[in-house]
Amino acid sequence: MTSSDNTARKTGVFHQGELEVQQKVGVAERMSGIGPRVIRDYMPEQHSEFYQQLNYIFLGAIDRQGQVWASLMAGPQGFIKAPTNQALTVSGKPLAGDPLAQILADSTPQQPARLGLLGIDLSNRRRNRLSTVVSARDDEGFELQVLQSFGNCPRYIQIRNLTQVNWPNDNPPDAIGISQFDEQIASFIKSADTFFVASTNQAAAAQGGSMADGADVSHRGGQPGFVSVEDTKTLIIPDYDGNNFFNTLGNFQVNPAAGLLFIDFATGDVITLTGTAEIIWDEQARRYFKGADRLWRFTLKHGYLLHNALPYRWKFDSFSDNSLSTGTWNEARSIALQQQDNQWLEYEVRQIIEENQQIKSFYLTPKNGILPRFVAGQFITLKVVIDGETLLRNYTVSSSPHDPFIRISVKREQPQADTQHISVSNYLHNTLKVASKLDLKEPLGKFTYDAQDPRPAVFLAAGVGITPMVSMLRYAVQEAERSGKKPRPIYMINMVRNEDEQAFSKEIMSFQHYAPQLIQVVWLHSQPLASSVEGKDYDFRGRLSADTIRQILPLDNYEFFICGPTGFMQHSYDLLRSLGVQDESIGAESFGPAALVRDRPEKAAQHEAAKPVAEQALVIFKQSGFEQMWTAQEGNLLEFAEAHGVQPPFSCRSGQCGSCKVKVAAGTVVHLVDVGVELAEDEALLCCSMPAAAQNASLELDL
């Protein structure tokens, strides 16, 4: 081989498409510092050695028609060599029928082919990515000049061990054309837990360009069923959290051309496809798919099925833990259907743990085996029948979205003087046993934790109000372990009377030990036990005060989360506002009718002026066959329904739980508070809504 002149390099490590995606997801500033440190224009010694140990390598390239292809080349160990830290030589030819052969044949010194390379050892998840240009080629193979070298995310790689079948492959395959996803091809794709995607930016096919220009190929993994075959031409694919380089999506941002490679590791069959890709940024589209940060759509142009193409076979060993923490499309569609229909689902109690003398945790698993998707901090609505009466209650989920169970932690209520009061909490404490059944609805609520928010988080909890904070803390640590990123700083301030009432102490401290520099836990005891020692068994004596907050929190911009009894929440909110904390930086959870009173009159005034309430309106309940004039004196629509003998389901009566959600068949409503659940345009919460003012006002509800 003889080398052509080196292609000019420039200093930028990210091209415009990558920068745009990084900016969109809020990591551009951070990556501007990381990129130049980890993306090199040469291979470190360990990477040069790594490529020379491989038996196979994945490649991405663009042909003369602008189509992008993902390919695999295989050979005996040593078929790849690294004569220098800026060059590789590859001996051998592409698979028979692979478009890569023509791409290499078309490469000239004047217009050299750009190739993306992924070196990967599936037996140990070791991997490295290269952006290269063909500097020479002949009948023996080709030589590559390295433009970029960097590490790749290993988290979704399934472990497979290589077994040699025959080398060379004595039965080269025929290339069977693919113009659509028929039953055979669709089944192949749906069963895959791994595939490879090639992409390029607009400058990739041209000579010259910057260091960031070029082709790319990368790995994608998940559980079997993580790729959805939507129709005969379309695939939908989840995009998980990675290294934030966004090489693939950045290429799609400026050039939609894409190539996909699927492998049957047991038979050696290969499917290579070319088409176009489109990033789906809509959060609603991916909310039901566990682990997906976003989605992308692949539309097929054409492709090839290569039977028995590979000389090697791989034996499956184990899934990546990260792959197992993600979902499948069957699960996602089942969850979407359940939430759309607002269904009750049966759960079974698998474990019961006493957190303290008053609080029990119930570990629940769904009968259908599909855990709901939720955000840390949300709550579930539970239904029980006591003495023939159906009762609904809301309980915050104290488990993490990453846990393989749903956990609720319930405080036993004190006896009520009113003997007619039915305590659902006491019923759960006294009646539930392992294997007991419960009916639950999907988690809801806006009191949620965002792991990507850069601000430190401050949790203010009293009593059983600690439950959403435990969910958030569990999630923060688990998400950090899953992503390999540090959690945002967390200050967890818990108020109890004494040590006997502390709940989740061991669990909380185990998470604090995970990141002691980032997670600080503080206990305030208002009535310490005589045996408790301040500074050892608890941190501060008394109730939450401005002085206590100043001692705990250094000067910074925080996001606050408050949960506990109504008096504590109002006191904490007013205290934070007096310290200059903005209302929008304070989140609070409340289920009772006495919701938190917020200091934001301007918003309330604008809300009322935008949509006035009717003085009277004809209200129709379709399912109940009810038709009656409503007047403003009769209160909200839930109170109106109850006064006329209609008993809709409800729980919180403050617009936070969604239990009383109904479809609005005709007319419009005014919600009198900021509701705690997402509502479609044709949905209303009865407990906090009234008919909107309109000429000949009428309202028809699916109730």
Side-chain angles (χ1 to χ4, degrees), residues 591-605:
F591 296 139
L596 186 71
V597 178
R598 288 183 174 270
D599 178 20
R600 46 182 179 183
E602 300 85 357
K603 182 173 181 180

Side-chain angles (χ1 to χ4, degrees), residues 54 78 123 262 268 287 303 396 400 486 542 563 581 589 649 690 693 703:
L54 294 175
S123 69
F262 292 87
R287 64 182 298 185
T396 300
S400 159
K486 292 181 180 180
C563 190
V581 179
E589 181 66 291
M690 293 181 175
L703 176 66

Side-chain angles (χ1 to χ4, degrees), residues 77-89:
Q77 191 174 74
F79 85 109
I80 301 173
K81 297 189 182 301
T84 73
N85 65 2
Q86 293 183 326
L88 287 179
T89 62

